[in-house]
Amino acid sequence: DLLTFLPLSLYLIVSFFLATRSYLLKDMPFESEHEIGDITLKITQRPEETVDGSKLNGNSGTVWDASLVLAHYMSHASKGFVNKSALELGCGTGILGIHAAALGMKVVLSDYEEVLALTRENIEKNCDLITKSGGTASTTTLQWENTTKEVLQQSNLTNIDFIIGSDLVCAGLYQATPLVNLIHLLLQCSTSATCLLAHELRANDRFQEFIDAVRSLGMRISKVPNDELHPQFQCEDIAVLKIFVPAGN
């Protein structure tokens, strides 16, 4: 009857409106808050960021779980990072490097130039936290394929304590060989440096190829034990890895 029909019609109209609104807004920029230890970061995410009309891959403008696991690990073991320097590779939104700076580290966040506009926006959003901690955050363009020792020297990246990054290996998007070669070069230029990477294991991501390539260049790679990670921010599908060059190599 009519009384039954009207509520049903209204329900369908509202459902259609909400579904349409959700679809239209799903790729719109939004701000998220992330509590990591006693630090709360405000991060703008742009899941479908475009530059000059061409869409970037969906990774650059999104906060991924692997970056949060590594950030919580660094917060959990913060005494080992305060007053140290770091270079973040493939920084995207910048959440990992910005958090490191808010711990009191001197951080350079690197990515493609078109990505760094979002990174700088997020650094600015959190500049008070960074300044209060005594840390610093700056950005630089770094091409994995074309980086040489001379490029690192010109960018003052030859004497750093940590190389950090998350979800840097992804079949079809990021090739393992340029990344491994860059990590090896950075570790050779900064003999006391350690590389910390977080990676979420996915089907067919060819991560074993990355591990094999690391070992083929004489570097050591090991998984951070779960009992050293933050007890509430770890996942069996996300590994935190340490990479370093053994003494004498």
Side-chain angles (χ1 to χ4, degrees):
D1 59 16
L2 183 61
L3 291 178
T4 302
F5 176 76
L6 286 176
L8 177 60
S9 299
L10 181 60
Y11 171 78
L12 292 174
I13 291 171
V14 171
S15 297
F16 176 77
F17 170 77
L18 291 176
T20 302
R21 180 179 182 273
S22 176
Y23 176 79
L24 293 174
L25 295 181
K26 69 182 178 68
D27 296 331
M28 296 292 287
F30 64 95
E31 183 177 287
S32 54
E33 287 194 358
H34 302 269
E35 293 186 10
I36 306 173
D38 57 358
I39 297 170
T40 300
L41 301 178
K42 294 182 178 180
I43 300 293
T44 294
Q45 299 188 55
R46 301 180 186 275
E48 295 292 338
E49 181 66 284
T50 59
V51 177
D52 297 329
S54 59
K55 187 179 292 186
L56 301 176
N57 71 67
N59 294 347
S60 302
T62 302
V63 173
W64 297 96
D65 291 343
S67 63
L68 297 175
V69 169
L70 182 50
H72 278 283
Y73 164 68
M74 294 176 69
S75 177
H76 191 55
S78 60
K79 290 182 180 179
F81 298 101
V82 176
N83 296 323
K84 301 292 186 178
S85 59
L87 168 67
E88 182 180 4
L89 302 177
C91 62
T93 63
I95 186 170
L96 180 59
I98 292 169
H99 172 260
L103 286 177
M105 299 184 74
K106 316 299 181 185
V107 185
V108 178
L109 298 88
S110 69
D111 213 312
Y112 293 109
E113 181 58 37
E114 57 266 31
V115 176
L116 290 176
L118 176 59
T119 310
R120 295 185 187 108
E121 178 182 337
N122 284 325
I123 290 173
E124 182 63 26
K125 283 180 179 291
N126 297 279
C127 62
D128 289 345
L129 286 172
I130 295 170
T131 301
K132 183 179 178 180
S133 73
T136 62
S138 60
T139 62
T140 191
T141 302
L142 199 60
Q143 302 282 349
W144 295 355
E145 299 87 350
N146 303 317
T147 299
T148 63
K149 184 175 181 180
E150 290 69 30
V151 169
L152 296 179
Q153 289 172 335
Q154 293 169 6
S155 303
N156 295 317
L157 295 174
T158 56
N159 190 28
I160 54 178
D161 299 305
F162 292 96
I163 304 153
I164 59 177
S166 63
D167 278 337
L168 299 182
V169 180
C170 184
L173 288 177
Y174 314 121
Q175 298 301 313
T177 300
L179 173 61
V180 172
N181 289 339
L182 176 58
I183 291 172
H184 187 240
L185 178 61
L186 286 163
L187 291 176
Q188 287 182 318
C189 292
S190 304
T191 55
S192 62
T194 298
C195 180
L196 288 173
L197 300 182
H199 178 77
E200 182 171 355
L201 300 171
R202 299 177 176 89
N204 302 316
D205 67 3
R206 300 169 67 178
F207 192 61
Q208 187 59 48
E209 292 182 18
F210 170 80
I211 294 174
D212 293 341
V214 167
R215 289 173 173 160
S216 72
L217 293 180
M219 294 180 283
R220 299 278 179 83
I221 182 168
S222 61
K223 184 176 180 291
V224 175
N226 289 346
D227 59 6
E228 293 183 18
L229 301 176
H230 191 291
Q232 295 177 316
F233 292 93
Q234 54 179 274
C235 172
E236 63 180 16
D237 293 330
I238 297 177
V240 176
L241 304 165
K242 287 186 179 180
I243 303 173
F244 63 96
V245 175
N249 282 27

